[in-house]
Amino acid sequence: MRLPTRLARPLARILLALTMVAGALLVSSVSNPAAADGCYTWGRSLSQGATGEDVRQLQIRIAGYPGTGAHLGIDGDFGPATRAALVRFQQAYGLSADGVAGPQTFAKIYELQDDDCTPIHFTYGELDDGCGGSGYDGGPLSESATRFNALRTMWQLEAMRHALGDRPIIINSGFRSIPCNRSVGGASNSQHLYGNAADLGAGSQGFCRLAQQARNHGFGGILGPGYPDHNDHVHLDLRTSNFWSAPNCGVSLAAATGQAEEIDI
Ligand code: ZN
């Protein structure tokens, strides 16, 4: 019997969804029975030379371990920089530092992530409160691209938090929509517009410790005490031409192309 199109389409969709769910269950039960995770489950070990979405997912989680002044590319290609970042991640958590992401590494990542893929100590809500609003719309990028940037920012902050002794990091401002950024007097090209930036409170660490430590975790923009208007917070962002200026903390570096776009509150 041929069903009318208006009935057949939803039915086909339901069948497709059921098939996908069954397929996913089958794959996870065969390859990795104990480790299914609410956010993302890896189905194979990854080492140098591997490519794919599972590599990309790994890179997001270890983006906070690129080495001082460096930035890890999130490109799905497991090259030497990814291996070095993975070794640093493994060392940071006392795992065997072999540069191969296997069950031990994935178990640690599952422990560190929430079901929405954010690291356990940070949330999307913390990073979208620039003007007391919520959500990630109203910036120059799509909402999903902005959320992705915020996710990367959070994983880098998680790495920094761990390196600083697992003490809380306070975020005072993250993503800002265009009107929000304007209302707080942010620069027209502020990294906050892109979900790339976080302004930190002193917390128990103090501003200088935060500004100094950020150099090791992939933050290209670091502005803190001694830089104009940054004596009451530390601004971190994901720009890839390093511009670091917290002169009162001994933090200073400007790459040839670096620029202080940020006149930030
Ligand atoms: Zn800022």
Side-chain angles (χ1 to χ4, degrees):
M1 188 182 83
R2 196 177 153 75
L3 288 167
T5 312
R6 70 190 161 81
L7 285 179
R9 274 217 195 105
L11 270 178
R13 224 176 280 145
I14 289 165
L15 275 174
L16 180 66
L18 284 173
T19 311
M20 284 168 71
V21 167
L25 286 174
L26 194 64
V27 167
S28 65
S29 66
V30 168
S31 61
N32 220 347
D37 182 84
C39 157
Y40 184 85
T41 303
W42 281 268
R44 59 171 180 160
S45 290
L46 299 173
S47 55
Q48 201 167 319
T51 58
E53 175 60 18
D54 48 4
V55 174
R56 197 176 149 274
Q57 291 290 335
L58 174 68
Q59 288 169 327
I60 296 167
R61 305 319 189 273
I62 61 174
Y65 295 90
T68 305
H71 312 276
L72 186 66
I74 310 289
D75 58 4
D77 192 346
F78 196 133
T82 299
R83 186 180 186 285
L86 177 57
V87 166
R88 287 188 201 93
F89 173 86
Q90 291 171 326
Q91 287 167 339
Y93 286 101
L95 311 176
S96 60
D98 57 3
V100 177
Q104 214 192 14
T105 297
F106 295 138
K108 179 50 72 178
I109 293 175
Y110 298 146
E111 217 180 287
L112 288 175
Q113 70 186 3
D114 287 323
D115 284 355
D116 66 354
C117 301
T118 58
I120 45 176
H121 298 107
F122 298 93
T123 65
Y124 281 112
E126 269 176 286
L127 243 77
D128 74 350
D129 61 353
C131 291
S134 63
Y136 283 84
D137 57 344
L141 302 181
S142 70
E143 189 172 338
S144 66
T146 309
R147 286 175 74 91
F148 174 78
N149 290 339
L151 182 66
R152 175 176 182 147
T153 304
M154 285 187 260
W155 279 100
Q156 292 184 201
L157 287 171
E158 184 72 29
M160 182 168 144
R161 185 186 188 280
H162 183 57
L164 285 169
D166 292 310
R167 285 185 285 164
I169 282 179
I170 299 160
I171 299 172
N172 291 330
S173 179
F175 166 69
R176 297 176 195 149
S177 66
I178 293 169
C180 165
N181 187 59
R182 203 176 291 134
S183 75
V184 300
S188 62
N189 59 348
S190 169
Q191 295 282 322
H192 286 280
L193 291 165
Y194 300 90
N196 276 339
D199 290 346
L200 309 185
S204 61
Q205 325 271 10
F207 292 129
C208 282
R209 192 121 195 263
L210 294 167
Q212 290 156 356
Q213 188 63 38
R215 298 174 293 187
N216 301 324
H217 300 289
F219 292 105
I222 304 174
L223 303 173
Y227 185 80
D229 297 324
H230 284 71
N231 288 332
D232 61 352
H233 70 283
V234 169
H235 165 97
L236 303 180
D237 69 56
L238 302 183
R239 75 184 75 178
T240 51
S241 293
N242 291 336
F243 184 87
W244 300 344
S245 183
N248 297 358
C249 309
V251 173
S252 174
L253 174 83
T257 52
Q259 51 177 312
E261 51 67 49
E262 177 88 6
I263 301 162
D264 164 276
I265 293 178

